[in-house]
Amino acid sequence: MEFQQEEAAKDRDLVEAVNREAGELIRLLRCSQAPDQVLATATEHIQAAMKSLAPYLRQGEGWSTISIASDTPGLGWLEDDLTRCMPYSPVSGTCNPVAPPIRMWRDGDEVRGEVVFSPTYAGPPNSVHGGIIAAVFDELLSMANVISGNAGFTGTLSIRYQRHTPLDRPIELWAVNERTSGRKLFCRGEMRVDGQVTASAEGLFIRPATQMDS
Ligand SMILES: CCCCCCCC(=O)SCCNC(=O)CCNC(=O)[C@H](O)C(C)(C)COP(=O)(O)OP(=O)(O)OC[C@H]1O[C@@H](n2cnc3c(N)ncnc32)[C@H](O)[C@@H]1OP(=O)(O)O
């Protein structure tokens, strides 16, 4: 049993490591001005990696529905690592190379976190793309719901962009589930740089009706 757990932990480390490397590859492609010959060689290496991965592509009914969460039933997470809740998420999943390197943890009834956005996620000059900011708030507020014992679909998400959110600097993340009314979950969140709010969000999430019936 212990051996199996060690094997599973080792596999997860490998999966997370290859996804981190792929994220770094995306950053280098986004930011490099390599000469043609270097691009041609890089393409060959990428094609070789694709060829070795392709036979192991997971397919079939159900795969798309578990793709954001986990391949085991139910939601699980660690108090000091809430990203474990949705390992395949395109926003925070450590098993998804398009996700920025977000850390999120529980602090009482609140979610706190940190992220550094590379130029992969650029919008205006030296700043994070507004759509990426909205996606991160969607995830952050969802996690505030999850730690409060609820999970819901995003109904309405409202973002106030107060100042540019910079690239390549630590961004503090914060969110809380302020109240629940029937199936409605009301949340708030902020992004801060050096203590100054760059963007804030309010979200209304709706619990599925079937969850209330059960
Ligand atoms: C583990 C957590 C995973 C989190 C993943 C990250 C979050 C996401 O990205 S979720 C994906 C994006 N969101 C979606 O795809 C949701 C799509 N929408 C839906 O599925 C449905 O419209 C849904 C579930 C939100 C509501 O449908 P349904 O359960 O039929 O609601 P319905 O019975 O019509 O309305 C219930 C109440 O909610 C209100 N409501 C419904 N939809 C919305 C909405 N979009 N905004 C605000 N209020 C709404 C209604 O007005 C009603 O209020 P009241 O009871 O006061 O009259």
Side-chain angles (χ1 to χ4, degrees):
M1 183 67 181
E2 214 168 86
F3 175 73
Q4 277 177 356
Q5 280 172 352
E6 271 175 25
E7 281 298 291
K10 197 179 79 183
D11 288 347
R12 189 186 180 92
D13 286 350
L14 282 174
V15 171
E16 291 186 342
V18 73
N19 277 282
R20 268 197 309 276
E21 294 298 321
E24 181 60 8
L25 174 66
I26 293 169
R27 185 182 75 84
L28 287 169
L29 287 171
R30 162 69 176 80
C31 299
S32 303
Q33 277 190 311
D36 289 355
Q37 185 51 50
V38 172
L39 287 177
T41 308
T43 304
E44 281 170 19
H45 289 309
I46 292 167
Q47 284 169 339
M50 284 160 48
K51 200 173 165 192
S52 61
L53 287 169
Y56 302 97
L57 200 57
R58 288 195 268 191
Q59 283 170 335
E61 202 177 336
W63 171 238
S64 65
T65 58
I66 61 167
S67 61
I68 185 174
S70 142
D71 25 22
T72 54
L75 290 175
W77 68 91
L78 300 172
E79 303 270 313
D80 60 354
D81 182 9
L82 299 176
T83 67
R84 286 289 180 102
C85 189
M86 295 185 280
Y88 301 107
S89 163
V91 184
S92 70
T94 52
C95 302
N96 189 331
V98 304
I102 292 184
R103 293 195 304 120
M104 289 186 289
W105 60 90
R106 183 177 190 164
D107 182 8
D109 294 338
E110 303 178 351
V111 174
R112 296 194 182 274
E114 191 179 87
V115 58
V116 176
F117 292 103
S118 76
T120 299
Y121 308 99
N126 302 315
S127 308
V128 183
H129 192 291
I132 300 291
I133 289 171
V136 170
F137 272 129
D138 194 16
E139 196 95 337
L140 196 61
L141 272 53
S142 292
M143 290 317 303
N145 287 329
V146 167
I147 64 161
S148 78
N150 295 292
F153 292 106
T154 319
T156 302
L157 183 63
S158 172
I159 315 290
R160 187 180 166 101
Y161 297 94
Q162 287 165 234
R163 48 181 61 80
H164 288 187
T165 300
L167 299 170
D168 292 325
R169 285 183 62 186
I171 313 291
E172 298 162 54
L173 308 173
W174 170 83
V176 67
N177 171 307
E178 286 195 314
R179 68 188 170 95
T180 297
S181 170
R183 291 165 52 208
K184 296 181 186 171
L185 314 167
F186 296 86
C187 302
R188 221 157 55 77
E190 286 177 354
M191 287 190 189
R192 301 185 195 120
V193 177
D194 294 334
Q196 199 169 43
V197 176
T198 63
S200 54
E202 289 181 357
L204 168 50
F205 294 74
I206 317 282
R207 288 175 68 183
T210 47
Q211 226 181 58
M212 297 298 284
D213 299 341
S214 59

